[in-house]
Amino acid sequence: IEKQEFSRFPTKTGRRSLSRSISQSSTDSYSSDSSDDETSPRDKSQLNSKGSSDFCVKNIKQAEFGRREIEIAEQDMSALVSLRKRAHSEKPLAGAKIVGCTHITAQTAVLIETLVALGAQCRWTACNIYSTQNEVAAALAERGVSVFAWKGESEDDFWWCIDRCVTTEGWQPNMILDDGGDLTHWVYKKYSSVFKKIRGIVEESVTGVHRLYQLSKAGKLCVPAMNVNDSVTKQKFDNLYCCRESILDGLKRTTDVMFGGKQVVVCGYGEVGKGCSAALKALGAIVYVTEIDPICGLQACMDGFKVVKLNEVIRHVDVVITCTGNKNVVNRDQLDRMKNGSMVCNMGHSNTEIDVASLRTPELTWERVRPQVDHVIWPDGKRVILLAEVLLNCKLYNAPEGRYKQDVYLLPKKMDEYVASLHLATFDAHLTELTDEQAKYLGLNKNGPFKPNYYRYTSR
């Protein structure tokens, strides 16, 4: 019954494929199909060095290797490390009990450990059944974080891990940090009494934010929620700049194909689509773009891309990449018309963008080539390569009572600028300071915010 309640949400074949950061697309390092036996982590009895068993990971013995991965990631995550140093003694998250559902990689481990350093208690699970770095999950568990995640979970495992994070004796979450909305909806549907006591939700995906707005519109959102997805730093760094690099890393690792001269269609020209298109164009690929939004379509044209309908080019393109957050962007009819050897993959929230379920039919043969790479073979021998299966808590937690109503909020511009300022130290960048006279002339506070909420930052 519980699974039926969530049938309208992404399931195991609908979790994100090519990941949102370099680390997330490089999960074939130490953690992929490792030397472990095939025993499910749920059937293993494991203890960390402190004697705790409140976790479920592939192999706790991988913790040392995972710690090295996290230490490397910290070198490139100056904003979180700086925040950790500045606020460590203040413990602004003391008393916060955060349940999280995100990718579990070296980068997100830095986030989780920052939350712990600021005083929070955390229990964590994975939003993606393929992107978990097993060694990183082990390193977190060794440090005392209750992690329930491993690479290659089944659908049943996925929901079991979420449930184990939410329900444990003597502990009840008061904050949710979600990526995709699955955790939020699980708590909302199954533990309504717990949901009503949540002090705030932070959501960082377009799909999860959409679900929150639906709840709010229906009058069912009984806690305040922060929409991180539409913050400038999230849109630019994670969606645009990170995807601009991770699309190439993911494609190269999984296919070893040269993209110069290849014809590629990118479905969606939001920030993710912009990053993917720019990266593939730089490799010499011929890039087409599909769009429903005339403004995004015009941006694509001005950036030098041909805007087309997918049906116009589906017969001759070599690669189809979806970046829309929608469903059935590539349907069975279009997959039937793709040429032999073409590739299809997803960079959006979930593989609902690609109608993978329609390919699970008797006349088609599936051949696993490598982890997260399948050849789908048609009766005439045609093969299509499927790559598709593959600080805000402080703001809400410490807000005075009544500050945030039961609604979805955008990240305040002042906080967006603060996050950006923490990153600038990495580049040895020095911002110019306004004089009092200049600030008065512009009508600004010298310390920001420097742009009104309606300001739209350019894409590049």
Side-chain angles (χ1 to χ4, degrees), residues 67-96:
R67 179 51 49 190
R68 293 200 296 270
E69 292 264 354
I70 295 170
E71 290 171 352
I72 292 171
E74 287 178 342
Q75 297 174 17
D76 199 37
M77 302 187 73
S78 58
L80 281 176
V81 174
S82 174
L83 182 65
R84 191 186 298 178
K85 291 178 180 178
R86 291 187 188 188
H88 182 274
S89 60
E90 301 171 13
K91 293 290 189 289
L93 290 178

Side-chain angles (χ1 to χ4, degrees), residues 5-6 8-9 176 178 180-190 192 195-196 198 201 203 206-225 405-409:
E5 290 178 346
F6 288 88
R8 61 193 180 92
F9 303 142
I176 292 175
D178 208 355
D182 291 319
L183 170 60
T184 300
H185 277 267
W186 182 260
V187 178
Y188 172 75
K189 289 284 188 178
K190 193 172 181 184
S192 58
F195 189 78
K196 291 175 182 177
I198 295 293
I201 300 168
E203 173 57 57
V206 62
T207 305
V209 166
H210 179 65
R211 294 174 182 173
L212 287 173
Y213 279 120
Q214 286 180 323
L215 281 177
S216 179
K217 187 176 180 180
K220 297 179 179 179
L221 184 62
C222 55
V223 297
K405 307 299 181 183
Q406 298 166 355
D407 204 350
V408 184
Y409 294 86

